Amino acid sequence: MTSPCRDNFRVKGYRFGEGEKTLAIVGAMRGDEVQQQYICSQLVNRLTMLEQRGGIAEGKSILIIPSCNPFSMNVNRRFWAMDNTDINRMFPGYDQGETTQRIASAVFSALNGFEYGIQLASYYVPGDFIPHVRMLQTGYEDVETARLFGMKYVTTYQPRPFDTTLLNYNWQLWSTKAFSVYAGQTDRIDLNTSGETIDAIFRMMTRTGIINYGSLGAAYESICIDEASLQHIKARHAGIFYRLVDAGSRVASGESLAHIIDPYNGQILSDIKATAEGTVFFAHHRPVVFQNALLFMIHVI
Amino acid sequence: MMKTIVSTELPIDEQFRIRKNVIQNGRNDGLRFCVVTGTHGDELEGQMVCYELAHIVSERISSLDGTLEIYPALNPLGIDTIQRGIPNFDLDMNRIFPGDPQGTMAEQTAHAIIEDIKGADMVIDIHSSNLYLRETPQVRINVQDSKWLVPFAERLGMDFVWVHGAATVLEATLAHSLNATGTPCLVVEMGVGQRINHKMCRRLVEGILHLMQTMGMWKESPKDRLPQPLVCEGDRVTFLNAETSGVFLTELKCGINVSRGQTIGQIVDPLRGRVLSTVSSPVDGYLFTIRAYPIVYEGSLMARIFNTEEA
């Protein structure tokens, strides 16, 4: 696509193997999804070497699109810079529609028809997650394949009206087994969580017979949960947020999770405590919080 | 009487509040009419409409029989920061209704707004396009609600009523959520983002007072006869999207009839001094949307025309 005064807009894909459309992987859909872009670049790098060694299974092909939105990343904007629309809320797209609908349409036509689809996603609420595989409950979700990633958690959730324009919702409706992989971070590269995520995707590709790869690394026996079962902990006060535990921490009932501090006099306004034993699934990460903001999601044991 | 419907602490010594002005006269058990706006922080026409209504009705309170509730700012932080959405929140506020009391702060706010408004006898939800498009004064109604709501819309004195198709994603709007509870809500679009067109605002104020009068809530008749709107039903809107990226130049204003083949504008290349694309109307019709922001990418919406050829 041409631009009024910038370079042409390009979405690049990398193909590995030949044969049936087996797996498509999408990285950054938004301009701040640097961790997602980095993971895809590493996947391309490793698959290039694997293909040279004959490691892609015969009759299988893989497509990787590291970025659907290089324009926004180049100017440090999360959404499409001209009109602030979100490409990931435009699927399946419309080739006669608005700009981001057309981008979504072009991307979807390249992604449609694959047996498996992986999107490296970010969440609409700011915070840190345990790396996990997430699926919408559309009736087409494939929990058993999601377990093959060997990540700590596999979650499902009931779609809301605003979810019906996501890539993965539409992928599922068009018969692709779609998985959102949350790699812990969004706007910064974390080598630990990105490494875990790359290993998990290689594990899934190996276990589904897409690649022949020797070392799978240590895997988890995934816990599968409906997100509605997660316990939400909210801020009773606004103020400076001082977090004491991270995503992934095991916490005991009564343990302090965070303090909310008066921004003027330094007094502790609120000592946020766990009300049950569990694992911190999500943790807010901004240094200040609004009253009633979602601070933690806990998987209660 | 001012009422606060949402009050939440912000991090540093500030209270986030959504407020309404409740103006009541006559019967205590009379009808309740709500005017809401400011869901999108870049849409400002509703500010003047709220001001004019509050001023007029307060000055002529004896003409009111019932309750008028005015909500000028459903997204006060968006208005204050010149942002369409809620700061630090990804989703469009008008895509998260009816909200969720257990959700994020934005979802809790949406829930509180719905709970406060529902049960009203009429709600007018005022929008004013965005930075990119200029709209003729119009009412938009989901096709599922058209039989019920078009007769109300025809009394608002707008130029145009667009009965549009249903879409799952639009089920999360304020209007749809209210209509689904049996609370009638009309969406008004007019003008352009970040600006106020005084003439359009005064027309809508007259239209709202006229609608209140026909509902038996306002004892004064309009000074002038209000125009009857064109009503567009049945998928008869033609969208003109840019074929190429460039700078869109037009001499036209919206709210006019155009004929098939008439030039709507041109997309030009300022570097080479070339016309990249001439934009023509493919139908005879009524131009009710025209692009206001001239930079376009492929696909950018430049105009919407109500196709009157089959009328």
Side-chain angles (χ1 to χ4, degrees), chain B residues 49 124 126-127 136-140 152-162 186-190 199-208 210 226-231 286:
Chain B
V49 175
I124 309 294
I126 305 170
H127 292 258
T136 201
Q138 63 195 265
V139 183
R140 292 189 187 166
F152 288 114
E154 289 177 322
R155 290 181 247 161
L156 265 181
M158 300 286 95
D159 288 331
F160 187 58
V161 175
W162 181 11
L186 298 174
V187 174
V188 173
E189 285 275 359
M190 60 183 190
K199 198 174 160 187
M200 285 185 188
C201 292
R202 292 196 177 107
R203 271 186 62 187
L204 180 57
V205 170
E206 282 298 307
I208 289 171
H210 177 244
L226 295 179
Q228 272 299 108
L230 282 169
V231 179
Y286 177 70

Side-chain angles (χ1 to χ4, degrees), chain A residues 1-4 6 30 71 78-80 82-84 89 96-99 102 123-126 160-162 164-165 232 234 236-240 263-264 286 288-293, chain B residues 7-13 15 77 88-91 95-96 101-105 107-108 132-133 168-169 171-172 241-246 270 291 293 295-301:
Chain A
M1 181 172 69
T2 59
S3 157
R6 291 173 67 174
R30 290 136 178 173
F71 264 30
R78 180 160 163 81
F79 299 131
W80 185 248
M82 173 58 69
D83 59 10
N84 210 36
R89 302 227 173 248
Q96 300 299 307
E98 294 253 16
T99 309
R102 292 180 185 216
Y123 196 49
Y124 70 94
V125 178
R160 293 152 291 185
F162 57 77
T164 58
T165 50
H232 287 205
K234 292 183 181 170
R236 276 183 295 159
H237 296 280
I240 290 173
Y264 285 161
R286 290 225 167 102
V288 293
V289 291
F290 291 17
Q291 188 182 26
N292 296 322
Chain B
S7 179
T8 306
E9 294 171 16
L10 294 178
I12 318 294
D13 193 23
Q15 203 71 16
L77 297 183
N88 297 320
F89 186 67
D90 267 10
L91 302 177
R95 297 290 181 275
I96 60 170
Q102 302 306 317
T104 59
M105 194 183 121
E107 290 164 313
Q108 293 170 47
Y132 309 99
L133 301 171
T168 307
V169 72
E171 289 173 11
N241 297 84
E243 290 176 4
T244 185
S245 304
R291 190 164 185 91
Y293 190 75
I295 306 299
V296 294
Y297 272 82
E298 280 178 38
S300 295
L301 185 62

Side-chain angles (χ1 to χ4, degrees), chain B residues 243-265:
Chain B
E243 290 176 4
T244 185
S245 304
V247 180
F248 175 65
L249 302 176
T250 183
E251 303 292 335
L252 300 186
K253 304 288 181 200
C254 55
I256 60 168
N257 289 314
V258 293
S259 52
R260 180 187 283 261
Q262 180 178 339
T263 298
I264 303 295

Side-chain angles (χ1 to χ4, degrees), chain B residues 11-294:
Chain B
I12 318 294
D13 193 23
E14 184 184 348
Q15 203 71 16
F16 170 82
R17 290 191 188 93
I18 297 177
R19 294 186 297 179
K20 66 177 179 180
N21 183 359
V22 181
I23 307 171
Q24 199 273 327
N25 190 59
R27 290 172 292 175
N28 281 330
D29 59 350
L31 299 182
R32 180 173 160 235
F33 195 110
C34 297
V35 176
V36 305
T37 192
T39 309
H40 294 136
D42 60 348
E43 300 182 358
L44 303 177
E45 314 274 11
Q47 301 304 307
M48 180 170 172
V49 175
C50 287
Y51 158 72
E52 291 275 351
L53 265 181
H55 182 73
I56 290 169
V57 175
S58 299
E59 289 274 303
R60 288 142 52 186
I61 189 74
S62 59
S63 293
L64 178 68
D65 188 7
T67 304
L68 172 65
E69 298 191 352
I70 297 172
Y71 303 68
L74 297 187
N75 175 14
L77 297 183
I79 294 172
D80 189 71
T81 54
I82 323 177
Q83 289 184 59
R84 188 166 182 78
I86 299 170
N88 297 320
F89 186 67
D90 267 10
L91 302 177
D92 183 331
M93 188 178 184
N94 209 22
R95 297 290 181 275
I96 60 170
F97 287 99
D100 178 359
Q102 302 306 317
T104 59
M105 194 183 121
E107 290 164 313
Q108 293 170 47
T109 300
H111 174 76
I113 289 168
I114 288 284
E115 289 300 305
D116 196 75
I117 296 174
K118 76 180 183 188
D121 297 286
M122 176 54 64
V123 182
I124 309 294
D125 180 16
I126 305 170
H127 292 258
S128 47
S129 187
N130 52 31
L131 182 64
Y132 309 99
L133 301 171
R134 195 180 302 279
E135 302 281 1
T136 201
Q138 63 195 265
V139 183
R140 292 189 187 166
I141 295 171
N142 191 314
V143 67
Q144 295 167 340
D145 301 309
S146 61
K147 281 189 182 160
W148 178 39
L149 295 181
V150 167
F152 288 114
E154 289 177 322
R155 290 181 247 161
L156 265 181
M158 300 286 95
D159 288 331
F160 187 58
V161 175
W162 181 11
V163 178
H164 59 81
T168 307
V169 72
L170 296 181
E171 289 173 11
T173 62
L174 173 65
H176 187 278
S177 300
L178 287 170
N179 288 325
T181 67
T183 302
C185 179
L186 298 174
V187 174
V188 173
E189 285 275 359
M190 60 183 190
V192 66
Q194 299 187 7
R195 298 289 182 271
I196 292 178
N197 181 314
H198 295 206
K199 198 174 160 187
M200 285 185 188
C201 292
R202 292 196 177 107
R203 271 186 62 187
L204 180 57
V205 170
E206 282 298 307
I208 289 171
L209 291 172
H210 177 244
L211 179 57
M212 289 171 64
Q213 186 227 339
T214 63
M215 293 171 66
M217 294 185 66
W218 186 247
K219 295 174 188 166
E220 301 178 27
S221 298
K223 289 180 212 142
D224 303 310
R225 186 179 168 81
L226 295 179
Q228 272 299 108
L230 282 169
V231 179
C232 168
E233 294 182 277
D235 197 22
R236 288 168 61 195
V237 172
T238 300
F239 291 69
L240 298 185
N241 297 84
E243 290 176 4
T244 185
S245 304
V247 180
F248 175 65
L249 302 176
T250 183
E251 303 292 335
L252 300 186
K253 304 288 181 200
C254 55
I256 60 168
N257 289 314
V258 293
S259 52
R260 180 187 283 261
Q262 180 178 339
T263 298
I264 303 295
Q266 292 179 319
I267 300 174
V268 303
D269 175 354
L271 180 64
R272 296 173 184 80
R274 290 198 316 228
V275 175
L276 300 171
S277 171
T278 297
V279 183
S280 304
S281 175
V283 294
D284 292 333
Y286 177 70
L287 178 74
F288 66 94
T289 304
I290 188 83
R291 190 164 185 91
Y293 190 75

